[in-house]
Amino acid sequence: MSTRSLSALARRALASCVMALGCAAIAPAAHAAGNELTIAYPVDVPSWDPTAGTWPAAQSLYKAVFDSPLLINDKLEITPRLIESWKWLDDKNTRLDIVLRSGVTFQDGSKLTTDDFKYTFFDRPQTDKKLVINSTFTNKLSNIEIKSPTEAVMDFKNPNPTAPAWLAFMTAYILPKAYIEKVGTDQFLAHPIGAGPYKLVSYERGSRAVLEAYDGYWGPKPAIKRVVFNFAPDTSARVAMLESGRADVAAQIPVRDAERLKKDSKLVSKIYPYTQIFIVQLPSYVPALQNVHVRRAMQLAINKQALSRAFFANTAKPISVLALPGTPAYVDDVDVKYDPKAAEAELAQAGYSPGKPLEIPFMSANGSTPGDYDMARALVQMWSRIGIKADLQEVTLAKYMELSHSSKLTGPMLYSWDNATADPEIFAGYILNPNLPFSAWKQPELADTFKQLSALPQAQRIAGYQAIEKKATDDAWCIPLIQSVTTIAYKKTLNLTTYQTGYIMPQEYSWKK
């Protein structure tokens, strides 16, 4: 029997067995003097180079070890972090002045300076081929001018109004130039150091990462001195770890378990929307998806409110555009209604019907975010009613990224798209820009459109993105589904803050006295 076909009961039994056999060597959480915290976490980091790729779930570990130049707070505002202040030096958004905090050190005691900043974002991509920074941001730079050990100016080839947002987003971490040049790339990846509140002291790939508070951290010192991330991809295993006392926190657990755990007097359980949206990516290079009637049929056949009700306790808000509700680029008057009759009529124009179904692969991760695979199965059922026979295939996020970035997806993909900045450039601008590896919809003329938008004043830029969002919905270039929700459950004796970004931030947690 495959994992895919296991019932919920069987999966829980399997998780219990895994816990009994595989976790016996992991000591129960020891909270002597409130010094330790154990977190059941869904995924490991892809590598200890935090600048290499956009891997949303890894950001919590990266922020703990490396910190970040800027930070998106719970109100989705850009706030200081390693960068103390920033300002544009021109009205075209091409020269950004940044000032680093003085006195910041890496975890080997060396000072963090603008030399490290320039090395990370400008020099390193040319000199170190093993640490491949996400070029989406760095390719826009023409130079970084160092004015002092704490001040530098970022020169961009073209207007880049979202640069501060990128410095708070994924892949924006400052790496230690001297340390990497001294020990080499391989040793850095095996024994990374950063400027964050915790240093990595022990790591077993696919199993766990142990962090200890760094005494020389520039900011408030963590109240909890030792944090253990136990990696458990199976959602039932994470729940079992929490309920058995082998974990103090369980992240991204199924909504049904989060609801059940609310009744446990020893635990706190939360379900809340955050800065991710569930989308169905439609690769334009797949022949069947080049037909607009097929794409519109897939869109009209989806009952989004039913998905929210069935899998997210009605907390996930249905969306019809590639933006978060309440953000500047969201379009309130676009609402794609569930209409199976209209969907069937659209599909008929493409030559398909329940009697002559369209057969197509359909991919989804399983357990990377709450409810993902359950929702994918529901989409298969909804499509089957109008004449689309989707072959659901479970893929890892790593495999998805490999296929997507090489334009080798064989069919639609259910994906949870993260954008902690909430800026439309990192929603529609990245999901649809054909020049970027994240885009499955490759419409060449959109590249120039997005480039032109970056040079416009903010109000015009937002209006331009709204127009693209409307067009994308009309022609179903991508199918927005719902604003994602995340879940967390933890011991009631823990003070824990949640973020709209979904970050797990142990540096801000503490045990109640």
Side-chain angles (χ1 to χ4, degrees):
M1 181 181 296
S2 67
T3 303
R4 185 183 307 177
S5 63
L6 289 172
S7 66
L9 181 61
R11 287 173 69 84
R12 185 172 294 279
L14 175 62
S16 297
C17 290
V18 170
M19 288 300 302
L21 297 174
C23 296
I26 301 175
H31 305 142
N35 280 336
E36 183 163 314
L37 178 75
T38 302
I39 301 171
Y41 204 65
V43 298
D44 195 351
V45 296
S47 85
W48 282 103
D49 175 9
T51 68
T54 52
W55 189 277
Q59 303 311 308
S60 294
L61 283 100
Y62 290 156
K63 289 188 183 300
V65 174
F66 299 97
D67 214 341
S68 55
L70 297 171
L71 180 72
I72 304 292
N73 67 13
D74 192 45
K75 296 179 181 179
L76 303 183
E77 300 166 332
I78 301 172
T79 58
R81 205 71 176 186
L82 296 176
I83 291 177
E84 188 173 50
S85 64
W86 64 99
K87 63 181 178 181
W88 289 105
L89 299 180
D90 63 343
D91 58 5
K92 295 182 179 179
N93 297 331
T94 62
R95 287 176 53 80
L96 181 66
D97 182 89
I98 64 99
V99 178
L100 298 174
R101 293 182 186 277
S102 60
V104 175
T105 61
F106 290 108
Q107 291 151 2
D108 64 349
S110 62
K111 290 184 178 180
L112 182 152
T113 72
T114 47
D115 281 336
D116 302 291
F117 186 84
K118 183 176 182 180
Y119 168 76
T120 300
F121 295 109
F122 190 71
D123 290 338
R124 180 167 62 86
Q126 304 170 32
T127 59
D128 191 337
K129 302 302 181 184
K130 291 184 180 179
L131 293 175
V132 183
I133 195 167
N134 174 22
S135 61
T136 306
F137 178 57
T138 58
N139 279 354
K140 298 177 181 179
L141 284 163
S142 61
N143 188 34
I144 293 180
E145 174 193 349
I146 293 178
K147 300 179 71 174
S148 76
T150 58
E151 186 175 6
V153 177
M154 305 181 79
D155 285 309
F156 295 94
K157 301 171 186 176
N158 297 295
N160 191 21
T162 57
W166 265 106
L167 290 171
F169 195 42
M170 296 182 290
T171 75
Y173 297 92
I174 302 173
L175 300 186
K177 175 183 178 182
Y179 176 74
I180 294 174
E181 291 179 341
K182 176 183 177 181
V183 305
T185 298
D186 291 338
Q187 279 300 303
F188 168 74
L189 293 174
H191 303 286
I193 65 168
Y198 288 100
K199 55 186 177 181
L200 180 70
V201 296
S202 176
Y203 176 63
E204 300 171 34
R205 173 150 296 283
S207 178
R208 68 175 185 163
V210 180
L211 313 180
E212 288 185 357
Y214 171 49
D215 291 339
Y217 181 57
W218 66 267
K221 305 300 185 289
I224 298 175
K225 302 304 180 184
R226 179 181 170 91
V227 178
V228 180
F229 282 84
N230 282 328
F231 306 124
D234 186 275
T235 55
S236 298
R238 295 199 294 279
V239 174
M241 291 170 73
L242 179 67
E243 292 189 289
S244 68
R246 293 187 177 273
D248 307 305
V249 179
Q252 295 188 356
I253 62 177
V255 171
R256 61 182 178 276
D257 286 307
E259 288 282 1
R260 177 178 60 82
L261 293 177
K262 288 180 179 180
K263 301 175 184 177
D264 191 320
S265 61
K266 297 180 180 179
L267 300 174
V268 175
S269 181
K270 296 181 179 179
I271 306 168
Y272 57 99
Y274 71 134
T275 53
Q276 288 192 359
I277 58 174
F278 269 114
I279 60 177
V280 177
Q281 287 192 294
L282 301 176
S284 58
Y285 44 83
V286 173
L289 298 177
Q290 292 170 2
N291 190 311
V292 68
H293 299 294
V294 169
R295 302 194 305 270
R296 286 173 177 165
M298 297 182 78
Q299 182 170 245
L300 290 165
I302 298 172
N303 187 335
K304 299 172 186 176
Q305 192 61 58
L307 295 176
S308 179
R309 182 170 56 252
F311 307 118
F312 304 104
N314 265 333
T315 57
K317 184 174 181 178
I319 57 174
S320 295
V321 294
L322 296 171
L324 283 172
T327 58
Y330 189 72
V331 186
D332 291 307
D333 60 354
V334 174
D335 185 14
V336 178
K337 300 291 187 183
Y338 168 55
D339 192 338
K341 289 185 179 180
E344 196 167 339
E346 286 280 358
L347 195 62
Q349 292 191 62
Y352 300 102
S353 67
K356 184 186 175 184
L358 166 65
E359 297 185 9
I360 193 167
F362 175 43
M363 289 157 281
S364 173
N366 189 349
S368 65
T369 54
D372 52 7
Y373 202 70
D374 289 334
M375 185 160 59
R377 287 187 290 194
L379 291 173
V380 169
Q381 291 298 315
M382 291 176 185
W383 287 332
S384 70
R385 294 170 192 150
I386 66 164
I388 297 175
K389 187 177 181 181
D391 176 24
L392 181 57
Q393 301 171 6
E394 181 181 328
V395 297
T396 64
L397 287 180
K399 184 63 176 178
Y400 155 73
M401 289 183 179
E402 174 191 329
L403 294 172
S404 177
H405 291 190
S406 59
S407 297
K408 292 181 180 178
L409 290 170
T410 56
M413 169 76 190
L414 177 66
Y415 188 64
S416 186
W417 183 278
D418 180 77
N419 178 6
T421 73
D423 191 276
E425 178 184 306
I426 305 173
F427 272 136
Y430 278 62
I431 294 171
L432 299 175
N433 191 329
N435 288 347
L436 300 182
F438 321 105
S439 171
W441 186 258
K442 303 290 187 182
Q443 187 162 318
E445 60 268 26
L446 285 174
D448 286 337
T449 301
F450 289 124
K451 184 177 180 179
Q452 292 165 12
L453 284 178
S454 67
L456 296 177
Q458 179 70 349
Q460 291 175 257
R461 189 176 75 94
I462 294 298
Y465 272 106
Q466 289 177 324
I468 290 175
E469 291 165 14
K470 291 179 180 179
K471 179 65 174 174
T473 297
D474 289 343
D475 287 349
W477 296 338
C478 177
I479 304 177
L481 296 175
I482 55 176
Q483 181 180 1
S484 303
V485 299
T486 191
T487 56
I488 192 167
Y490 54 93
K491 291 182 178 178
K492 190 168 285 187
T493 50
L494 181 67
N495 295 310
L496 184 149
T497 302
T498 57
Y499 285 84
Q500 279 195 68
T501 53
Y503 295 147
I504 302 296
M505 302 281 278
Q507 54 267 47
E508 298 183 5
Y509 304 165
S510 64
W511 289 105
K512 295 179 181 178
K513 297 180 180 180

